[in-house]
Each structure stands twice: as structure tokens, then as C-alpha cells.
Amino acid sequence: MRYVDTSGLSAPPAWIEKAHKVKEKIQACIADGTAFEFRSLWTEDEMRGPLVQLLGPKCWYCETLIQRTDVQIDHFRPKSEVSGEPGHPGYWWLAYEVTNYRVICKHCNSGGARYNDVPEGLAKSSRFPLLAGTRATKPGDDLTVEQPVLLDPVRSGDPDLLGFDAAGFARRRSGASYSQAEKERGLCRADETIRILALNATQITEQRRELMLEIGQLSRLRGTPVAADLIARKVGPQAQWSAAASAALAIHRAGASTPHRTGPPATAAALGQTDIHPRSNVDLVDLLIHLDADELATGIALTGRRAGREYHAELRKDGRISVVGRAWGTPQSAARAATGRDDVDGWDFWRLTVGGTDLSLAEFRAAHAVRGRTTSP
């Protein structure tokens, strides 16, 4: 994901007039309590064309080029309903607001991505979870008080929270601090965006890895005009997976080894990550010192139960939790990835055995809390 500057984007006057009339009809139906249907004006060339021109025909979320299929337009704030919010009418008044549009691929919008040949990712669809703030329900409500969980490609700073490791896996950018809202909720916005949009689906991760390997190889040809031109093309804003290419270039310039791994993401230590958050409600990094180092080296078993089913995971020495081969930086996203649910509390869900005692991660965290430094989620 990279930042998309939409500040200069505007719709043609004829399209605006048409959209205004449709919006008036919808508003009248809502006032009368009658059924209504949206007209898909956002997919018309007058509007879709200018959106696509900003970055070319690629998804603003996963950066995959959209080929041999129509470019889809996502409503960042869902127009007709909000998943997990019963009774919410959707942000219908924003259905024809250009500022609410994002170019999106089919997998990010409606699912179908796979990891190790297993379907995953709930997809954007009508999901718009909030980290904090009061949710808007009608025209005139203040949208600025909403703090979305999903990273927004058109919000300055959001794409910078998403990074990539040397194996091509998307993850929270090393060194990025958690916001106060993330600490209070125990959620990592980057992890949740990766989970919901399946940004580490098998095919896309493998292809990102190959791209990062290629960038490393080209980077060694310093001073070669052809290599410099190729790199410039691959890290350019319209290039496929350009954010990962830029990450690979940064790794090479920093003197790190060229990406070559084909297994799980590299450990935090191997990538020089030291972003420790004292007594964090979000990740487990600061709690690792209270666990046996030898057990951590081989992986500590975690189990969780929901609706009569048992789930298994492994706590790794870098503090990440591996679930069926996928590594997550936080208990929340790991539990939600395992169960396919958006409402699981990973700290209560996952359990481990310490010194012969079975504890939830929440109990384990509380046992090592320091007065004044831990806030309950």
C-alpha cells in the first residue's frame, strides 16, 4: 500500500448533477421508509477513469495490477450496511462522494484469496470497523471523530504503517509506534488490515518475494544506467507492488542481505527490529523475558477454544504468533485469523502453560503488569 493523493480529483459536472439527483431520490425513500436501490454511477467511465489515472489499473490496497477484468470501485465507508453493526443504514449519503472512492481488486473487495491453498481473508466488502470514536449514522455527523481500523491509502501516514519483511510478507512497519487508541483496544491496525484483506495470500506473497529478490540483484549493479532505470520503474507509484520494491531497496541500501527466503517471515532480530512496547496491550514482545528462552527458541504452544472447536498456534521467539504457517504480531489478529471471526479477544482466547500452570495470555500479562504501565483493553 502506498499513499494516493486524491486532493486534485473532481468529478465532471454532468456526473455530479446525475449523482445529485440519485442521492435526492434515495434520501426521499429513506424519509418515507421505502426501499431504494443505488445506481452504480461510480463505475461509469466519467468517474472510474480519473480514479484509475491516479495510480494506473492497480488495487490501492494490495497494489496488484488489475488485468482482464473491470476495475472495481470500493466505498471506503460502506454505502448500504456496515458489517457487525446491526441496524446501521450504511453511509448512504457518501455513496456518490468522490472522496469515499478507492480503486480495489476483486480479492480485496469480495474475497477469494488463498494461503497455502486454504481460503482466507474476509475481504473489505461492507466491513468498516472503528478503533475509536463515535460512528456516523446520518448526514451531518462528524466523520473526523471516527478512527477506522483499516489503513486508508488516501490518508497521509496510514500507508507508512504497513511494511514488508525480507521474505515478502506484509507486516507492521518496523519502528512504527502504536497509537493511543491501538493501545487501549489492544489492536494493531496494520495486522488487522493484512488479515481482513488477505495481503499475505500465497500467490501475492511469492510474487512480492521474487520482486524483492530482483530489486536486490539490480541494486548490486550500482552505476549501471539500465539497472537504475529498471529500479526506478519498479518503485514508481504505478508499478505493481511498488511499496514492497521500495522496502527491498531500503533493505539493500541499509546493508541487509538480499531477500531470498522461501519460508515464514524473518525474525525481528534478523531484520534489526527493536520496536518494544513496555507493558503493551497490543503485542507480546515485552513479555517474552518472562518465558523460558529454550522453550521460546523451539516455539511455545498456544491453544484456543471457541464453539466446541480447538485451535492451535505457536508463540515464536520474536513475539509473533504463527497460525497455520502465518505469522501475526498480535494475539487479537492471530485469534481472528484462526477463527475467521472479527469479534474474538485474542488475549482471552489464547492459552499457554507456564511452570505447569495453564494461563490465558490476559492472565499471563496481568501477572507481570507494572502499576501505572498497563491499561486493560
Side-chain angles (χ1 to χ4, degrees), residues 209-277:
R209 182 185 303 124
E210 291 301 313
L211 172 62
M212 295 178 77
L213 172 62
E214 186 177 357
I215 290 293
Q217 294 171 334
L218 289 171
S219 296
R220 286 195 290 270
L221 302 175
R222 294 181 179 179
T224 305
V226 173
D229 179 63
L230 287 173
I231 290 175
R233 293 185 184 186
K234 294 179 184 298
V235 300
Q238 295 198 353
Q240 182 166 237
W241 308 314
S242 59
S246 297
L249 186 61
I251 290 174
H252 181 83
R253 287 176 173 173
S257 59
T258 303
H260 66 278
R261 299 183 59 210
T262 57
T267 65
L271 294 172
Q273 295 177 357
T274 58
D275 45 335
I276 297 177
H277 309 274

Side-chain angles (χ1 to χ4, degrees), residues 36-315:
F36 65 90
E37 292 185 2
F38 291 100
R39 288 184 59 193
S40 302
L41 303 183
W42 46 84
T43 61
E44 295 183 359
D45 289 341
E46 294 94 331
M47 195 61 258
R48 182 164 51 188
L51 287 165
V52 172
Q53 287 178 7
L54 292 174
L55 279 190
K58 78 171 188 177
C59 178
W60 291 3
Y61 295 99
C62 72
E63 288 200 281
T64 302
L65 288 178
I66 302 172
Q67 305 179 67
R68 299 176 65 85
T69 185
D70 285 339
V71 171
Q72 298 183 17
I73 304 300
D74 167 54
H75 290 77
F76 186 63
R77 286 177 167 82
K79 64 183 183 301
S80 56
E81 65 176 356
V82 179
S83 179
E85 296 287 335
H88 193 286
Y91 297 81
W92 59 267
W93 63 97
L94 301 178
Y96 300 101
E97 293 293 329
V98 177
T99 55
N100 195 39
Y101 296 162
R102 313 287 185 267
V103 175
I104 194 169
C105 69
K106 174 185 176 296
H107 286 164
C108 285
N109 195 27
S110 53
R114 305 178 75 84
Y115 186 97
N116 290 345
D117 206 32
V118 176
E120 76 156 354
L122 303 173
K124 172 69 167 57
S125 187
S126 62
R127 285 178 176 80
F128 189 66
L130 293 185
L131 191 66
T134 302
R135 185 180 294 280
T137 60
K138 61 184 182 303
D141 285 352
D142 188 0
L143 298 175
T144 64
V145 301
E146 293 185 333
Q147 296 186 41
V149 169
L150 289 170
L151 299 180
D152 185 0
V154 309
R155 182 180 178 183
S156 179
D158 271 15
D160 294 335
L161 297 176
L162 193 66
F164 301 89
D165 69 11
F169 285 78
R171 59 185 295 168
R172 184 176 64 87
R173 181 177 61 81
S174 175
S177 299
Y178 294 124
S179 68
Q180 185 60 38
E182 285 178 302
K183 294 175 184 177
E184 291 175 357
R185 284 287 308 279
L187 283 178
C188 172
R189 296 183 65 208
D191 256 25
E192 283 295 273
T193 300
I194 293 167
R195 178 184 70 86
I196 292 172
L197 301 181
L199 297 186
N200 282 334
T202 303
Q203 185 179 34
I204 189 175
T205 302
E206 291 175 348
Q207 293 177 340
R208 276 199 305 250
R209 182 185 303 124
E210 291 301 313
L211 172 62
M212 295 178 77
L213 172 62
E214 186 177 357
I215 290 293
Q217 294 171 334
L218 289 171
S219 296
R220 286 195 290 270
L221 302 175
R222 294 181 179 179
T224 305
V226 173
D229 179 63
L230 287 173
I231 290 175
R233 293 185 184 186
K234 294 179 184 298
V235 300
Q238 295 198 353
Q240 182 166 237
W241 308 314
S242 59
S246 297
L249 186 61
I251 290 174
H252 181 83
R253 287 176 173 173
S257 59
T258 303
H260 66 278
R261 299 183 59 210
T262 57
T267 65
L271 294 172
Q273 295 177 357
T274 58
D275 45 335
I276 297 177
H277 309 274
R279 299 294 174 258
S280 173
N281 287 330
V282 187
D283 62 37
L284 287 160
V285 175
D286 64 301
L287 293 172
L288 299 182
I289 60 173
H290 303 293
L291 294 169
D292 184 271
D294 291 334
E295 291 182 3
L296 263 179
T298 58
I300 293 177
L302 300 177
T303 59
R305 284 185 174 277
R306 185 180 177 92
R309 180 178 175 183
E310 186 170 273
Y311 300 87
H312 298 274
E314 182 181 88
L315 175 59

